Amino acid sequence: MSSSHQGHTAGTDFRPARLHMPTLRLWYACLPFFMRRFCDVSEVEVPAADLARLKAAADERLVITPNHPTNTDPALLFALAKAADVSFHYVACRETFDMAGGLWGKVIQRLGAYSVVRGTSDRESFRATRSILSSPAGKVVIFPEGEVHSQNDTLLPFHSGVVQLAFWAMEDLRKAGEADGSVGLLPVAVRYRFAQDMRHPIERSLQRLERTLNLPSVSTKSASDRYLRLRTVGIAILETLEQSTV
C-alpha cells in the first residue's frame, strides 16, 4: 500500500519521500476543492491525446519537466497524475517542508515529495532521484527552470542538472545489469487562462499603482492604453529605485 525511497543518514536536513497511497487517494479526492479555494483554479484541462500518451507510459521511467510560471503548478501536476492514474514523485525546495511548522512537509512527503536545497549540490536529493528513476516505472517531477517567474508564455534557461540526473540513473541501471534500461524526458507545458473578464480587475490594479506613485489616473478601455499606463508605472518605479541608490 505504501512505498518510500529513504536510505539516508539520520540527522541530515534532507526530507525523503514517504509515498503513502491512502493519503494520496484522499488528497486526490480533496484536490478540486483545494485548487478552487487556495489556487483560484476552477478546472484543469489535459488534451485527450496527451493524457493517452502519459497513460501508455505508465510502466516507463520518466523525468517529467514542466515549466514553472506560478506557485500553483505543483497542484496541476497532481491533477495530471490523478487524471492519468499514475503516481509521480516530486522534487520540492527544502523551505517548503517547513511551512505550517513542518506539518505541510509531513503531508507532502506522503504525497511523494522530497526536498532539494536549491543552488547547491544536494547529494542526498540527487541520490533519491537516481534511486526513484532506477526503480520500475519510477517517475519524478522536476521543474527545470528552478524557480517561479510569473510568465505564462516564456521560459527561463533550464538547469542542465535535470538531464544529468537521468543519465546517472541510466548508469545505475547498467551497473545493475539492466543493459536496455532507459529514462525518458517528458516535457509538460503549463498554461493558465482566465475564466472571466479581467479588464475590471486590471483597471483597479492600475489605478492603485497610479495612486501609490502619484501618477495621473484616467480610466481607459483599450488594451493598448492600459499597456502604455503600465509602462508609465514601470518607468516611475525604475526612476524611484535609481534615486534611492544615488
Side-chain angles (χ1 to χ4, degrees):
M1 295 295 290
S2 64
S3 64
S4 62
H5 293 270
Q6 300 176 41
H8 302 283
T9 304
T12 65
D13 205 37
F14 176 72
R15 297 294 184 268
R18 305 185 188 279
L19 182 59
H20 184 249
M21 293 309 296
T23 303
L24 184 62
R25 284 194 289 269
L26 177 61
W27 170 246
Y28 283 163
C30 299
L31 190 57
F33 168 78
F34 179 89
M35 289 194 295
R36 286 193 300 270
R37 178 67 178 81
F38 298 102
C39 304
D40 201 22
V41 172
S42 59
E43 185 179 3
V44 178
E45 297 178 0
V46 183
D50 293 340
L51 189 59
R53 189 175 298 115
L54 180 56
K55 289 181 176 180
D59 295 328
E60 297 180 18
R61 300 178 178 95
L62 294 174
V63 179
I64 300 164
T65 56
N67 57 317
H68 204 3
T70 78
N71 286 317
T72 301
D73 305 332
L76 303 189
L77 269 295
F78 276 112
L80 176 62
K82 176 185 177 182
D85 194 24
V86 178
S87 296
F88 299 160
H89 281 81
Y90 304 82
V91 179
C93 60
R94 175 60 186 82
E95 54 267 29
T96 301
F97 292 79
D98 294 329
M99 294 173 60
L103 179 60
W104 181 242
K106 294 182 183 301
V107 171
I108 63 175
Q109 282 180 274
R110 284 158 178 77
L111 301 180
Y114 60 99
S115 68
V116 65
V117 179
R118 292 181 294 185
T120 68
S121 297
D122 190 335
R123 295 181 181 181
E124 293 290 305
S125 183
F126 294 168
R127 278 198 288 268
T129 301
R130 293 172 67 167
S131 175
I132 294 167
L133 292 176
S134 300
S135 301
K139 294 176 178 59
V140 178
V141 174
I142 305 177
F143 292 97
E145 292 167 290
E147 60 183 303
V148 174
H149 56 84
S150 304
Q151 297 295 318
N152 207 32
D153 297 311
T154 60
L155 295 172
L156 295 178
F158 288 0
H159 292 199
S160 60
V162 174
V163 176
Q164 185 61 57
L165 287 167
F167 281 118
W168 283 340
M170 290 175 64
E171 289 179 8
D172 294 339
L173 290 168
R174 301 291 191 275
K175 292 176 182 177
E178 193 171 336
D180 297 328
S182 63
V183 178
L185 294 177
L186 180 64
V188 173
V190 175
R191 193 171 192 275
Y192 295 86
R193 293 184 299 175
F194 289 112
Q196 62 190 39
D197 190 336
M198 295 302 295
R199 285 175 293 184
H200 293 302
I202 290 172
E203 181 65 35
R204 290 195 297 270
S205 295
L206 276 172
Q207 289 177 357
R208 285 196 300 270
L209 288 168
E210 289 165 339
R211 284 196 300 270
T212 300
L213 295 167
N214 295 317
L215 296 174
S217 180
V218 179
S219 179
T220 53
K221 295 183 178 180
S222 71
S224 59
D225 287 343
R226 292 192 189 97
Y227 180 72
L228 290 174
R229 288 168 62 193
L230 183 59
R231 284 190 61 187
T232 302
V233 167
I235 292 170
I237 292 173
L238 181 60
E239 289 175 345
T240 300
L241 291 174
E242 288 177 341
Q243 291 171 4
S244 66
T245 58
V246 174

